[in-house]
């Protein structure tokens, strides 16, 4: 069933699809998301997923999830599983789950058809020689001495390749197109190579494996894909994609359309490089919360809806651009502002003793959230003589307009009393270790009769009931905003941010947080949005900062607007 065609606000790919349906070039559309299972998916892939699945969700039609698994060297079942999980997590449902390696027999037949038509030949030159004779942008390539062999000879040699009678690297099958073609991709590209390795999905039945450019179009043709959507770097592969499709009898003719890949500031979007970060021990794994992988942002605390919203908002175009990572932060911040319960956690505790508060007394205070805030509604806070505030909420010699705690200065403790700092205690090195304060018993929140106005309100946690927690604060992975502007001769690792992870082990959380389960999200008052880590337990509370409260994106927009 076709849906109403939403023309208004359609992106350029949607417009192409709408026009194709209107003109009758196609009756229904079929797209696919074709990852190679050689790594975990990143946010760039999320853009492609949202685009391909989103198109058919919006306009009607089908979308396959297809593993483009034609290279047994780097592909693994672990990656396959992770990809399935990520697509499901984003909330998309595929029409069919496919594997390019299930089509090996069909690719082989396509190759035979090209050989029989005199359009492919077995080349006994080494890979190095082939590269050297390919020419350059300004010079044509030189023909292989094996280029004009007879069809019979090529069939026999290809058969021998398939049967394992050649060693790896001894020969390849090449398309016979034009060695002087202005597009280098068309200069007799390699179609098949010998790899004596079993395949994780197809088993050990093959020792020749097809190359991406040769196989990809046939994968789309076999599945009945109408709109084969990919990123711009494949634009000048399109003539080759078309050549392979036009020279073999196929059941269906797909068409390729390109869009600009997603680049995010302060990070890289390449599986190969992300794997390198893991192998060098720079991050812990694919799901390290600093990684731009889908599993990384999931562990960091992002929701599927926030990633989908992000992908929709950045739009689709044919112009390469760099998306500010602050915009990603902005999207999750906006969502969590509506959904995350508010709690108090002191990240870097400084001890406060309320001298005029009775020793041993524990008072139950009712904390009421703002009516518009999500979360616990009212909860009970326990107040006592010894408590902790944030280290940087105190200054011994404050500048003007420092509305937090300072000697002689008053502040309100959130949901509790107004206190005044009376004395600062330091250790022998001069480090402040404790503050002595007094409280005003008439100033209790909710029943304040003190008639005092104070400008600052601080979050706090009582010593007796506070829960010790480890908190991880994340910063950008890299110090360079646009990594495509790296200096010559430098590599990504020269731009690593040494402070991309700060671990605080002394933090104190209010008792309610002991109930948290992995991936529960909260707003830590005055600090940011946090998420219980996958390794979080009641005994060892562990939270990741998703984003701080400061919305740099909103600020950037204000300046621009
Ligand atoms: P990487 O460069 O990270 O290794 P890839 O393109 O090699 O990625 P594939 O598994 O081949 O990874 O990608 C599957 C699909 O995702 C392709 O159609 C590709 O065009 C798309 N894709 C990959 N990176 C991005 C990106 N940054 N933005 C949008 N789409 C992307
Ligand atoms: Mg790739």
């Amino acid at each position: 069933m076709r849906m109403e065609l939403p023309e208004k606000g359609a992106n350029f790919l949607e417009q192409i699809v709408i026009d194709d349906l209107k003109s009758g070039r196609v009756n229904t559309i079929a797209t696919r998301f074709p990852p190679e299972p050689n790594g975990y998916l990143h946010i760039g892939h999320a853009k492609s997923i949202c685009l391909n699945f989103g198109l058919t969700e919006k306009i009607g039609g089908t979308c396959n999830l297809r593993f483009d698994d034609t290279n047994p060297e780097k592909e693994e079942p672990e990656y396959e599983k992770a990809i399935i999980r990520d697509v499901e997590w984003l909330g998309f449902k595929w029409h069919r789950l496919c594997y390019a390696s299930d089509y090996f027999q069909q690719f082989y037949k396509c190759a035979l058809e090209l050989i029989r038509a005199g359009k492919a030949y077995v080349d006994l030159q080494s890979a190095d020689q082939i590269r050297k004779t390919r020419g350059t942008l300004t010079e044509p390539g030189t023909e292989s001495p094996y280029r004009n062999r007879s069809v019979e000879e090529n069939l026999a040699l290809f058969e021998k390749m398939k049967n394992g009678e050649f060693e790896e690297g001894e020969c390849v099958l090449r398309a016979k197109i034009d060695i002087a073609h202005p597009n280098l991709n068309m200069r007799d590209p390699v179609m098949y190579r010998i790899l004596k390795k079993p395949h994780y999905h197809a088993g050990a039945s093959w020792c020749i494996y097809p190359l991406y450019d040769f196989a990809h179009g046939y994968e789309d043709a076999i599945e009945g894909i109408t709109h084969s959507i990919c990123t711009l770097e494949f634009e000048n592969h399109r003539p080759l994609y078309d050549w392979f499709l036009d020279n073999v009898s196929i059941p269906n003719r797909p068409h390729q359309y390109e869009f600009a890949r997603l680049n995010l500031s302060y990070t890289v979007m390449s599986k190969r490089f992300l794997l390198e970060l893991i192998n060098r021990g720079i991050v812990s794994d694919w799901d390290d919360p600093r990684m731009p992988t889908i599993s990384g942002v999931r562990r960091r605390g992002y929701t599927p809806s926030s990633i989908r919203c992000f992908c929709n908002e950045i739009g689709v175009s044919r112009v390469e651009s760099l998306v500010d990572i602050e915009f990603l932060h902005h999207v999750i911040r906006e969502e969590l502002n509506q959904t995350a319960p508010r709690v108090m956690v002191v990240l870097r505790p400084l001890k406060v003793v309320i001298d005029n508060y009775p020793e041993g007394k524990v008072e139950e205070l009712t904390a009421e959230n703002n009516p518009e805030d999500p979360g616990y509604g009212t909860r009970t806070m326990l107040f006592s003589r010894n408590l902790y505030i944030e280290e940087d909420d105190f200054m011994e010699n404050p500048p003007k307009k420092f509305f937090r705690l300072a000697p002689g200065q008053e502040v309100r403790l959130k949901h509790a009393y107004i206190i005044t700092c009376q004395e600062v205690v330091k250790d022998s090195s001069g480090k402040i270790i404790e503050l002595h304060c007094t409280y005003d018993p008439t100033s209790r929140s909710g029943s304040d009769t003190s008639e005092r106005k104070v400008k600052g309100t601080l979050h706090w946690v009582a010593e007796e009931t506070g829960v010790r927690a480890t908190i991880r604060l994340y910063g950008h992975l890299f110090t360079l905003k646009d990594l495509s502007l790296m200096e010559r001769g430098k590599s990504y690792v020269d731009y690593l941010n040494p402070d991309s992870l700060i671990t605080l082990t002394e933090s104190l959380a209010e008792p309610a947080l002991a109930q948290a389960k992995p991936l529960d999200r909260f707003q830590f008052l005055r600090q940011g949005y946090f998420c219980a880590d996958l390794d979080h337990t009641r005994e060892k509370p562990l939270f990741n900062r998703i984003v701080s409260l400061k919305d740099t994106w909103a600020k950037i927009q204000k300046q621009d607007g």
Side-chain angles (χ1 to χ4, degrees), residues 190-238:
V190 174
M191 294 161 52
Y192 267 98
R193 59 187 169 151
I194 299 167
L195 277 176
K196 298 202 165 167
K197 289 200 175 65
H199 186 279
Y200 86 96
H201 183 77
S205 33
W206 294 87
C207 65
I208 51 168
Y209 288 94
L211 272 94
Y212 176 89
D213 277 343
F214 164 68
H216 199 73
Y218 298 132
E219 295 164 22
D220 288 340
I222 290 165
E223 288 172 24
I225 303 303
T226 56
H227 294 76
S228 172
I229 298 167
C230 64
T231 36
L232 275 173
E233 63 267 29
F234 294 103
E235 186 174 21
N236 58 10
H237 293 239
R238 177 156 27 101

Side-chain angles (χ1 to χ4, degrees), residues 273-288:
F273 188 70
L274 295 174
L275 181 60
E276 204 179 316
L277 290 178
I278 299 166
N279 289 341
R280 282 172 177 251
I282 291 162
V283 296
S284 61
D285 209 338
W286 289 100
D287 69 349
D288 187 302

Side-chain angles (χ1 to χ4, degrees), residues 32-38 41-42 44-45 47-48 212 229-231 233-234 259-263 269-272:
R32 82 290 181 264
F33 171 64
E36 182 178 2
N38 63 347
L41 299 180
H42 50 61
H45 294 116
K47 176 174 177 174
S48 178
Y212 176 89
I229 298 167
C230 64
T231 36
E233 63 267 29
F234 294 103
F259 69 99
R261 58 187 287 117
L262 167 65
N263 301 303
M269 216 76 88
S270 144
K271 282 179 279 191
R272 190 176 58 82

